[in-house]
Amino acid sequence: MKKSILIAVIAVFGFTSAASAQEFVYFGAKGGVNFTNMTSDGFEDEKSRTGFHLGLLSEIPLSERFSLQPEVLYATQGLEANRTFAGQNFNGEYQLDYIQVPVLAKIYLIDGLSIEAGPSFNFLVEEEYDFESSMGDAEFDTEAGSTFEFGGAIGASYKFNNGFFASARYTQGFTDVFDSDNWDDDAIKNNGIQLGIGLMF
């Protein structure tokens, strides 16, 4: 899995380096807050988990108003929810941390203001479950998560003349969060909102 992450990162920045030979390429860093959840009939009283994202990006202009924007982000996702298992009710928080590699098409509507959308290739790097129940409280690492998630993102951003920018996007996982062999039959998919700020130079 670590090898897959490394290959993805090298591919993104290799593509950026190749493009920079023909076009001027902007580089930058960004970070912000995540509000994430999962969709499943197996959860009750779902509440979003508040997390963060942090990483690097580049913008490759292909025309006056169209660019490609690959990113490499560390992003925390998950949810808080109740779940019934073996007759017991568990109130817990699933914590799923990913290396996300979105590759976004970016269209400028006016100077500074753009909309963006594209696929995201996400690699699970950390997984933890904290819960409370009548049997007591516990915190443990789990291995039920799928090591790879294919998803997408859509949003908007505004870039100021000094290089600072603010962005908001909705993210959606298209593949199941958990491996079917390690979970029940409920389809579970990530979704969330990312609000971020950054600097492009």
Side-chain angles (χ1 to χ4, degrees):
M1 191 267 293
K2 293 181 179 178
K3 184 177 180 181
S4 298
I5 296 173
L6 180 60
I7 291 172
V9 172
I10 291 173
V12 167
F13 285 99
F15 175 74
T16 301
S17 298
S20 66
Q22 299 177 358
E23 298 281 353
F24 184 79
V25 176
Y26 299 95
F27 293 92
K30 65 179 294 189
V33 63
N34 298 343
F35 303 100
T36 61
N37 209 321
M38 300 180 195
T39 55
S40 172
D41 294 334
F43 293 129
E44 302 172 4
D45 300 325
E46 297 177 27
K47 297 179 182 178
S48 64
R49 180 194 178 198
T50 301
F52 70 91
H53 65 276
L54 183 68
L56 303 174
L57 69 153
S58 63
E59 182 176 345
I60 307 165
L62 299 180
S63 70
E64 184 178 352
R65 295 197 176 274
F66 180 73
S67 298
L68 287 181
Q69 182 167 295
E71 304 177 357
V72 178
L73 307 174
Y74 188 94
T76 62
Q77 298 199 175
L79 88 165
E80 296 180 17
N82 292 332
R83 185 171 175 83
T84 302
F85 181 75
Q88 296 289 328
N89 183 264
F90 295 85
N91 180 21
E93 181 181 64
Y94 289 93
Q95 303 174 11
L96 300 166
D97 297 353
Y98 292 88
I99 297 295
Q100 297 182 337
V101 186
V103 181
L104 306 178
K106 191 170 185 177
I107 300 173
Y108 283 90
L109 304 178
I110 58 175
D111 289 344
L113 178 64
S114 64
I115 55 175
E116 53 197 33
S120 184
F121 308 93
N122 309 325
F123 303 87
L124 183 65
V125 293
E126 187 69 30
E127 179 183 0
E128 188 175 282
Y129 181 47
D130 302 342
F131 70 86
E132 301 174 355
S133 73
S134 58
M135 298 182 296
D137 303 344
E139 175 183 313
F140 59 92
D141 295 332
T142 63
E143 296 182 356
S146 299
T147 57
F148 174 76
E149 175 194 55
F150 177 68
I154 185 170
S157 65
Y158 187 86
K159 183 166 61 176
F160 298 91
N161 292 333
N162 58 6
F164 283 96
F165 66 89
S167 65
R169 72 177 55 154
Y170 175 80
T171 62
Q172 175 67 56
F174 299 139
T175 57
D176 286 350
V177 173
F178 298 109
D179 288 325
S180 58
D181 293 340
N182 299 323
W183 202 253
D184 54 30
D185 294 331
D186 294 322
I188 302 174
K189 295 184 171 57
N190 280 314
N191 62 80
I193 294 173
Q194 292 183 346
L195 304 176
I197 57 173
L199 175 64
M200 200 84 74
F201 49 87

